[in-house]
Amino acid sequence: MSNADKTDVVIVGSGFGGSIPAYHLAAGGAKVTVLERGPWLAAADFEHDYLLGSSYTRAFDFVVGDGMSVLGGNCVGGGSVVYFAAMPRAPKFVFERHGSIGRRMWPKAISRDSLEPWYDRVDESIPVSKQDWSDVSYAGGLWAAACNHSGRTANPAPVAVDNDTCVNCNFMMAGCKFDAKRSMLTNYLPAALSHGAEIRPLHEVQRLERTEDGGYRVHFDIVDEEDYRVHTGTGVIEAKIVIIAAGAGATPVILQRSEAALGTMPHGVGRYFSGNGERLNTAIIDEDRVREVLGLSREDGPIYSANHIGKGPTVANWDKLDGSLPEYERYSLEQLYFPPGLGTILAQVPGGEEPRWFGAEKKEILKKWANWLTIFLMTEDDNEGVFGTPPPTGNAYRISQQMLGRGSLRYDPTTNTRRGWALADADCKAIIEKDGIGTVAPWTNDVVGAYTVHPLASCRIGDDPATSALYANHELRNHPGIFVTDSSAVPGALTVNPAMTIAALAERSVPSIVRAAQARGIDVKYGAPAPDGSITGRRAVSKLDLVAGN
């Protein structure tokens, strides 16, 4: 292996969890190599369609498990390229959750207050826009009016979107053609490249092993750019530090496959997976009742018929984000645009006996697709997901050329999880069906099981070795020099969109990674400004006690 490539730090994955340490370590002087299994797509490559073989299928990874399916990113920039850019901060009660283990899941070193300056740093680096009502979409406005009519509140969601550039095309889930969505392609990654970081697309990491000097050897396959089932080559790269940020559906699989060479993995690797308690409801809106009951109108054209106009989620109901409520009774209800494809397949016809996701009645509601309103429920689950034996390569057995795979995740929702879903479903129904504004039903679980676009916790941080895979500083237990900084490190469901918290935790992890790199002889420093040159967040963070584990 003497001819293997060598670098200081290998980062596996280029989403929030990979891009953020890539920037800081490269800016601090380390030689950084990022291995990304997906293609490198720029704004000009994002297509305004949802056809097979377009950017839609090239940039996504949809893995069907047993009882749970996971939709994630598969491109340079990872999930940040295909997310809807909602960036709320997690409520304080989240950090005190006990969940299925009956005691605090989060490390004692982390609370909402201690994470606040790291949130601030992400806020200035991306940056995050504080929307007002003039920024929300038609669908968001309708959801806000329905909430108000039923005695609830509604709030414009903070988003990583440049509203001056956004054209409200609603194609942001397949990547933003106008660079209005602030993905990692617009901030941390170009900043990392400017400091010498190397990004290698279509490099799928398979496993790790130790080198004779205590570093790590990273084995990867090179993936064909059109047919992801085809591997066109293999390779090896050695590093003193490895950061795994391949996503909650892939990070534990890489570690499981590495166990034969590295030795026993912590119990938490591949266990305690959370789908962020997610569920979707589809409402079929009655135009006449919207006019009569809510008093809404447009100068020309239909009253609503605008499901497809706007940008992802713009308005949320947060009335149940109340720390005084018991666990599993806390959730958010967020208006969400979900494009044709899975959304039109999994949506059920409201009323009657389930399942009603196919047949003549389904055909009729599909004709009214522009009058749909999709509501995204984020509840508290029991971290009941477990990964089985890893496939020979990758995170799943590839079924199609792109996007679709069959994975080893098993997920059997507990009574607690189902109760949270039921409460949120009932609340959504009460809002939408009050005075006949519309009819609503949750998506079916009969086709692909439960589903999540925000997988979490499959390799989580914590203080208890029996129920966590990582120390509080994100280092893999009993495997020094390996860090995990992606969504898999988040201990459990957040009741809101998790991107902001994933990014804040990644920011928080960097000082400890820098210290570990220094101890291994890497000439690197911590202290680079935010990617746009701002220093406010850096000054706030510098006031913290940056010792290992804090």
Side-chain angles (χ1 to χ4, degrees), residues 452-501:
T452 180
V453 295
H454 296 139
L456 304 169
S458 56
C459 196
R460 64 187 185 179
I461 53 175
D463 291 330
D464 178 12
T467 57
S468 64
L470 311 174
Y471 298 112
N473 68 349
H474 290 252
E475 192 168 28
L476 184 65
R477 291 183 179 278
N478 304 318
H479 295 276
I482 299 176
F483 291 81
V484 174
T485 55
D486 60 12
S487 61
S488 67
V490 178
L494 299 177
T495 67
V496 296
N497 313 76
M500 189 69 171
T501 300

Side-chain angles (χ1 to χ4, degrees), residues 255-387:
L255 291 174
Q256 286 176 323
R257 198 182 289 119
S258 303
E259 190 167 35
L262 296 181
T264 303
M265 286 291 132
H267 179 75
V269 170
R271 291 181 174 86
Y272 305 109
F273 173 93
S274 166
N276 201 33
E278 291 175 359
R279 190 164 168 84
L280 286 126
N281 278 224
T282 297
I284 314 301
I285 300 301
D286 185 318
E287 293 268 314
D288 292 335
R289 296 301 289 165
V290 166
R291 181 195 296 109
E292 295 165 7
V293 175
L294 300 181
L296 299 182
S297 64
R298 286 158 63 184
E299 291 182 1
D300 51 17
I303 303 304
Y304 171 52
S305 293
N307 181 48
H308 53 297
I309 303 171
K311 48 181 179 292
T314 58
V315 174
N317 168 267
W318 292 321
D319 291 347
K320 295 297 184 179
L321 299 187
D322 180 351
S324 68
L325 292 173
E327 278 197 65
Y328 310 104
E329 294 185 15
R330 303 174 296 202
Y331 51 82
S332 61
L333 306 175
E334 182 178 83
Q335 158 268 327
L336 172 71
Y337 170 75
F338 209 96
L342 281 176
T344 46
I345 293 170
L346 300 179
Q348 291 200 121
V349 179
E353 297 295 324
E354 296 184 10
R356 294 171 60 120
W357 57 272
F358 60 91
E361 292 173 301
K362 179 64 174 284
K363 268 189 176 180
E364 288 304 308
I365 70 165
L366 286 174
K367 294 177 183 177
K368 302 176 182 178
W369 181 77
N371 284 78
W372 289 15
L373 180 67
T374 307
I375 307 302
F376 190 32
L377 321 180
M378 287 169 278
T379 71
E380 294 173 308
D381 67 3
D382 250 340
N383 290 77
E384 46 264 82
V386 178
F387 285 80

